[in-house]
Amino acid sequence: MTPPPVSGRLLRRGLVVVRSEVRLHPRPFAVAVFGALVYALATIASSAVIGRVVDRVITPRFEAGHVASGAVVAGVLAIIGVGLVKASGIVCRRIMANITQARVQATIREEIVERYLHLPMSYFQTHPTGELIAHAGADVEAATMVLAPLPWSTGVLVLLVVAAGWLLATDVFLAAIGLVLLPSLLLLNIVFQRKMEEPATRAQDRLGVVSGVAYESIDGALVVKALGAEDSEARRFAHAARDLRDAKIDFARLSATFDALLNSLPSIGIVAILVIGAWRVERGAVTPGTLVAFASLLNLLAWPLRLVGWVLGDLPRTIAGFDRVKAVLDQAVLDQAVPEERADGSAGVGSAGEEPHGHAIEVSGVSFSYEDGTAVLTDVSFFVERGTVAALVGPTGCGKSTLLQVVAGLLDGVDGDVRTELPVALAFQEPFVFADTVEGNVALGHDLPAGVYDEAVSVAQAAEFIDRLPDGLGSVIGERGATLSGGQRQRLALARALARRPRVLLLDDATSSVDPATEADILSGLASAHSGMTVLMVATRPSTIALADRVLYMESGRVVAAGTHAELLASSAGYADVVRAYEEAREGMALDLEAS
């Protein structure tokens, strides 16, 4: 779906939203509207039939003391027949309207998730997870909430037009009451839906905030409990919930006022019909059956008119939800720097997705800043030769991880040129593990040959702990890998990256939780099993750095020195200080472990 721009007054904006959603699945909606039309015409017919029954069955019984049995049977059959037609219209409308709503919701959710999967990492860094979940959940529900009752509203409009024509053709005096009542109801609806826009938007926004706070509290339950932050988190959630409650109360207060007025107007109309109708019957202008039919029709119109009011009243929430959904769909269009997905599941990088000439990785004049203007990388240039292992080393916050994401093509708004051999795979220090089987986590949706599984798991040094699991590759891992240790999660994530058989492997400190001996085995396995593959890794311990063929030393977002580990120790004081700090940190951790 490509939503058109929504502007103008609320009713016009609502019509644009509805039109764009109905276009997604027009056939079930058309059937639902047909059912609503059948219901509308049957409603008019039922009032007319009741009037005829009064004139031809009930009135003769009072006047003559008897009535022909054929008239009674005909009246009963007419009432039952119209009732069955009316019921069939209701069933058709309800089923198809709900099918329309469900299908539109499914389509929009699929498109939101599709956009999420293709948005750059910068988008997720600036939008809370709870808010993203709300977009695909509560916002979609709000954006489509008018679809189910809308066909009925369409039928009601036909009902009003036909009813008005019938009233005018039968008696002008009685018709005048309806012609005064209907515009009053429409005016009330217009005033109401304009007043509802602000509280509806506010409530929808605060629902996203509540979702975000709840998600963070649940996802970070371990941190919350470990640091005794239960009370502060409860207060934070309570504050967000109170804001949502206040917005919903404001909305409900206006809605309750509207419902009261909407209920009273049809009742007033029926009283007026009976008073004026009695006078018209007395003068012989209309029959008692016509008066009963008029009163019955107005009584039948009361509920459908309320539905029209509800649809108009729900428009503000629908527009608020749609605007939030539309912002996500538009974001996917605006972010032109999203790398194209390759057939092998890897991402192409570089301004045109071209591969470098002569080297596995070529970075030239790359600069990157966050949206707030904070510079992270400044004029970075380097190359990595094919089949070598290069290490990115530098103090905390110097831009190592950001540079790796730039090389992987995960960030937009990058100045400069980045070219790599394809395919590229990336493994992180904090790997994400899905609540799936080991095999599912390694394959990640791809149909991989058995040999690829075995090789990837073997090189990542993950075969030993996988074999110890109850069902091996078929073992189901807890959410976020809760049943695995940090080192096991890292090795599983590395196997997942290797299963793509990349020519360039990017490791963002992805072996920090495994012991140095295992790490050496992993890098040795990479060299033997994947000859020709290039590795660029963020390294934070001397044993890892020593395994690299070339070291790139970074300071303050720049690559300030490059060479072998020994060369940089001799030529760069900053590099020597960082390596010394790494060694001291490792020694301190070792002493702490011995003491414990």
Side-chain angles (χ1 to χ4, degrees), residues 166-188:
W166 181 43
L167 291 173
L168 286 171
T170 305
D171 188 81
V172 176
F173 287 92
L174 295 180
I177 299 174
L179 295 178
V180 169
L181 179 63
L182 296 182
S184 300
L185 290 170
L186 291 176
L187 178 62
L188 179 61

Side-chain angles (χ1 to χ4, degrees), residues 255-341:
S255 181
T257 302
F258 171 74
D259 284 345
L261 293 173
L262 195 58
N263 278 329
S264 63
L265 284 179
S267 300
I268 294 172
I270 292 174
V271 171
I273 282 282
L274 292 176
V275 171
I276 297 177
W279 169 67
R280 297 295 289 166
V281 169
E282 185 179 356
R283 291 178 61 88
V286 297
T287 65
T290 300
L291 176 58
V292 172
F294 272 39
S296 172
L297 182 60
L298 277 184
N299 185 56
L300 291 174
L301 283 176
W303 172 254
L305 285 173
R306 288 194 66 190
L307 182 69
V308 174
W310 286 340
V311 170
L312 293 176
D314 284 338
L315 274 183
R317 279 184 291 180
T318 294
I319 293 172
F322 185 82
D323 284 346
R324 288 166 60 85
V325 168
K326 181 173 177 287
V328 177
L329 301 180
D330 283 351
Q331 185 69 35
V333 175
L334 293 175
D335 288 326
Q336 300 295 335
V338 182
E340 295 183 358
E341 187 176 354

Side-chain angles (χ1 to χ4, degrees), residues 522-534:
I522 290 173
L523 293 179
S524 176
L526 290 176
S528 59
H530 296 269
S531 59
M533 185 175 67
T534 304

Side-chain angles (χ1 to χ4, degrees), residues 2 38 49 61 125 198 203 239 244 246 280 322 386 389 469 510 514 522 532 541:
T2 304
V38 171
V49 166
R61 178 68 178 83
Q125 292 168 347
E198 190 277 330
H239 177 73
L244 176 60
D246 293 343
R280 297 295 289 166
F322 185 82
R386 290 188 177 93
V389 176
L469 296 175
V514 301
I522 290 173
R541 57 188 182 188

Side-chain angles (χ1 to χ4, degrees), residues 373-384:
T374 303
V376 184
L377 302 174
T378 305
D379 195 23
V380 175
S381 298
F382 67 90
F383 65 87
V384 179

